[in-house]
Every structure is written in C-alpha cells, then in structure tokens.
Amino acid sequence: MHLTRLALTDFRSYPELSIELGPGVTTFSGPNGEGKTNLVEAIGYLATLGSHRVASDAPLVRRGAERAVLRGAVAGADRSSLVEIELNPGRANRVRLNRTPLPRPRDILGTLRTVLFAPEDLALVKGDPGERRRFLDELLVATAPRYAGVRADYERVLKQRTALLKSAGAKGHLRGPAREAMTTTLDAWDASLARTGAPLLAGRMRLVAALRPHVTAAYEAVSGGPAGEACSLSYRSSVADDLGPAPAQGDDSMAGLEALILKALAAVRSSELDRGVCLVGPHRDELELSIGALPARGYASHGESWSLALALRLASFALLREGHEDPVLILDDVFAELDAGRRDRLAVLVADAEQVLITAAVPADVPGLLAGPRFTVCAGVVAGAS
C-alpha cells in the first residue's frame, strides 16, 4: 500500500496543507524545526491513532485553533480508501472512512499501515521496559487490529483493580464482614485481570517468537558486525519464570495462562495491598534485548544501540509485509544519526519497499540509492517536488 495524498488543517505548524505522494522514495528536506517531522507524525497518526512524540492530542492542534483535521488517501492492491480524523482536545475525536462516520476511532486501524523509525526509538534499547512493551503492543495492533480492543480491555481492568488495591490498603484495619467483602471483590477483579491479560500475553509471546529471526537478520545486516556480536530478544513475564512455548491461535493453553496469572496474583496479594499497586500481569513484563552475552540496556555502545533500534523497526516491516501489502516505511531524521557504513546498509535494506518517506535536514545525508522526488520544507511551507 502507499499514501497518495496527505491533507492537514490546523495540525501542528500547518494551517492548511495538501500534497500528492507516490510510490517509491520521497524525501522532505529542510532545516530542523521547520515542520518536517510534523508531516510524518500526521501520517503515523492516521495509521495508529497516536503520536510517536506526545501522549495526548492537545499539542497536535495548531495554537489558536479548536480542532485539527487529518486526511490521507491510501492506495492498496485491491482498493483505495480515504481516512479522515478530526482531533478535538477535551472531546471525542471523530473518524470517517470513505466519508462514512465510524462508531469507534479504532475501527479505522489497519486501513493505513506504517512503520516509523525516529530518533526517539533509541529509547527502545536504552529506555524503561514500558517503551518496549508499547512497541510490542503497537506492533500487535498493526498485525491484527483486534488487539486494540484486547489492550483497551486489559488497561481498563488494570486501572480499576489498582484503584481497589489502593482503597483496600488504606482500609487495612478492616475486620469481619467488611474484610470478607473486600476479599471477594478482589477475587472478582483478579479473575477479570486474568481473563483480559491472557490473550494479550499470548499475543505478545507469539509476536516475539515471530519477530526473533527478523530482528537477528536485520541487526546483522545493519551493523555489519561479526557473528559473535549477534543480538537476541526474549520475553520475560512477571507471571512465571517459564511460560513454555508461545501458544498457537485458539490454543487451549489460554486457560493455562489465565490459571498462571491467578496463581501469581494470589502469591503477591499481601504485597499488593501494602503497596497499592498491581505487581503481576502483562503491564509488568519485559522484552529483553541482548547483544552477544550482555543486555543491550546499559552495555551496548551508541552505534550498537542505533543498530538494534533500527533492527526492531526493520523486523516489524518484514513481519507486516509477510502475506500482505508493504506498509509505508517512514524514516524520520534517521540518516543524520548513522555513520556512512550504516547509512549505506540501511539504504540497501529499504530500497525495495513500496513507499519510503524520509526526512533529512541535510539532503546529502540520504544515500544516492534512495533517489526520488524531493520536497523542501521551510517555515511550515512544503515546496513542490524536484
């Protein structure tokens, strides 16, 4: 698939913008701070309903405007689609597909698929476990949009169970019927957490197993390093030290995962009541990354960290294109962070993608292999392709 047109109204620095795009490589160049990243941020939002830069929608609306509108025309092998999103900070966003309003914004997911690599992705290697959990969950949704609902259900239960733990901890002096009632309520929320957490946990386990060979191959290709410095990734769960192999789709072991979560919750209940937090579940798990025999976080060099972050995104691209159309590949100010060898190796790896969108402050940073139309961006104005 590829994006054929992007139109923005009051998004970030753009009062109005409409540009035509085509397959192949397109580069947006210009000084930093002029609006290049705002363009790819908008494209990423059309695909994922989220920004890779901020957690809320309010900063996405141009100062002084009440709302922002994003439109993207998408061409696929079998059909063309128009995605429209209206951002209303403080109120519900509105989404339309082919001019038809959708009841839930997440129903748009899957219409446009993207893989975006940006400087912020260094946090996938150097950052906290939450960064890597978010990476897994966003990729899960990209591979199967139904996981947006799975993730939302789990987060809702987690929030409510955590609120109950805090309340119960504050009332630790409860005795008799009141204590029994609190225990019964916690038991019910434990069951809900296990029921909603098991499919998320199973999905992540399957995803890591599918992703592993792609990450290993991409890291070797990008880094150009010796085989002894190969990378590896594994999923470490807070539920049990060994969960066994990743369950197949519809596998009966889903009930087994629920039972493991319930057992782990029972084991930590007293600690949870003391601390007022939920200590077990997918929200406490970790995607462990290693280079050679050492964990990447804290031990990898700057170049190794960049190579591994790139490998995670390239592996995501390889996984998403298996049996499907290519997602749109976006490289936001990536080449400036890489040495010449990594730049050239990355260019070889992405050159055959159906659509590659690149931002660069210095056009010369983009390898010659990635030739194609070039737009210039200055003060929020996008000049025609050359």
Side-chain angles (χ1 to χ4, degrees):
M1 69 173 53
H2 64 275
L3 197 66
T4 61
R5 184 172 67 89
L6 174 68
L8 304 176
T9 301
D10 290 328
F11 181 86
R12 289 284 196 182
S13 57
Y14 293 98
E16 290 287 344
L17 172 75
S18 180
I19 54 174
E20 304 292 327
L21 299 167
V25 178
T26 300
T27 300
F28 299 92
S29 63
N32 289 328
E34 300 297 318
K36 302 186 302 298
T37 295
N38 295 346
L39 293 174
V40 297
E41 182 182 29
I43 295 169
Y45 197 104
L46 284 166
T48 67
L49 296 177
S51 164
H52 69 288
R53 301 161 77 191
V54 294
S56 68
D57 291 343
L60 306 180
V61 178
R62 190 173 64 91
R63 183 176 298 178
E66 294 185 357
R67 62 174 188 166
V69 179
L70 302 81
R71 297 181 178 88
V74 184
D78 301 322
R79 68 185 187 282
S80 296
S81 304
L82 176 64
V83 179
E84 299 175 280
I85 302 176
E86 181 182 295
L87 301 181
N88 298 295
R91 295 174 289 133
N93 293 339
R94 296 196 292 182
V95 171
R96 296 198 302 175
L97 178 61
N98 298 327
R99 309 291 185 184
T100 302
L102 298 181
R104 298 176 302 182
R106 70 176 187 233
D107 292 338
I108 206 79
L109 295 173
T111 307
L112 171 65
R113 297 190 305 161
T114 62
V115 173
L116 188 155
F117 183 78
E120 290 85 354
D121 282 341
L122 200 58
L124 293 177
V125 180
K126 293 180 174 290
D128 294 332
E131 298 285 347
R132 291 176 285 281
R133 289 193 295 267
R134 185 171 66 176
F135 163 75
L136 288 178
D137 291 345
E138 289 178 350
L139 183 54
L140 261 183
V141 173
T143 58
R146 68 181 180 83
Y147 277 103
V150 172
R151 186 183 181 190
D153 288 344
Y154 179 76
E155 290 176 349
R156 173 182 53 79
V157 172
L158 175 63
K159 181 179 179 180
Q160 292 175 307
R161 184 177 183 274
T162 300
L164 180 63
L165 284 170
K166 290 180 178 178
S167 172
K171 300 174 182 177
H173 61 282
L174 290 177
R175 296 290 185 272
R179 185 176 182 85
E180 291 178 8
M182 182 66 74
T183 299
T184 300
T185 304
L186 265 176
D187 287 344
W189 282 110
D190 285 3
S192 294
L193 194 79
R195 175 180 51 79
T196 57
L200 180 59
L201 178 55
R204 286 183 184 174
M205 292 170 64
R206 286 192 293 266
L207 179 63
V208 171
L211 203 58
R212 187 175 290 115
H214 292 299
V215 173
T216 301
Y219 181 80
E220 183 178 348
V222 170
S223 67
E229 296 179 357
C231 73
S232 62
L233 68 163
S234 59
Y235 190 83
R236 179 169 58 83
S237 175
S238 60
V239 172
D241 292 336
D242 184 12
L243 293 174
Q249 291 280 6
D251 198 298
D252 290 340
S253 61
M254 192 69 68
L257 287 179
E258 287 191 38
L260 284 174
I261 295 173
L262 285 171
K263 181 179 178 181
L265 288 169
V268 298
R269 175 169 289 187
S270 61
S271 296
E272 288 187 328
L273 288 169
D274 289 340
R275 297 172 58 179
V277 295
C278 186
L279 298 175
V280 168
H283 66 289
R284 304 283 292 198
D285 294 355
E286 166 71 298
L287 175 65
E288 295 184 328
L289 306 173
S290 302
I291 297 177
L294 296 174
R297 186 185 181 195
Y299 289 92
S301 69
H302 188 67
E304 289 172 334
S305 297
W306 271 111
S307 293
L308 185 48
L310 266 173
L312 290 169
R313 292 303 187 190
L314 290 171
S316 303
F317 179 81
L319 189 64
L320 288 171
R321 78 192 310 195
E322 286 184 344
H324 301 279
E325 302 170 90
D326 280 10
V328 177
L329 183 60
I330 303 172
L331 304 176
D332 180 26
D333 202 23
V334 170
F335 292 102
E337 303 289 345
L338 305 176
D339 57 49
R342 286 184 172 86
R343 288 179 189 174
D344 291 340
R345 289 190 288 271
L346 176 60
V348 171
L349 291 171
V350 306
D352 70 336
E354 182 175 347
Q355 186 176 49
V356 185
L357 304 178
I358 299 170
T359 71
V362 180
D365 287 345
V366 182
L369 179 62
L370 300 178
R374 297 201 172 198
F375 291 87
T376 59
V377 183
C378 184
V381 177
V382 180
S386 59

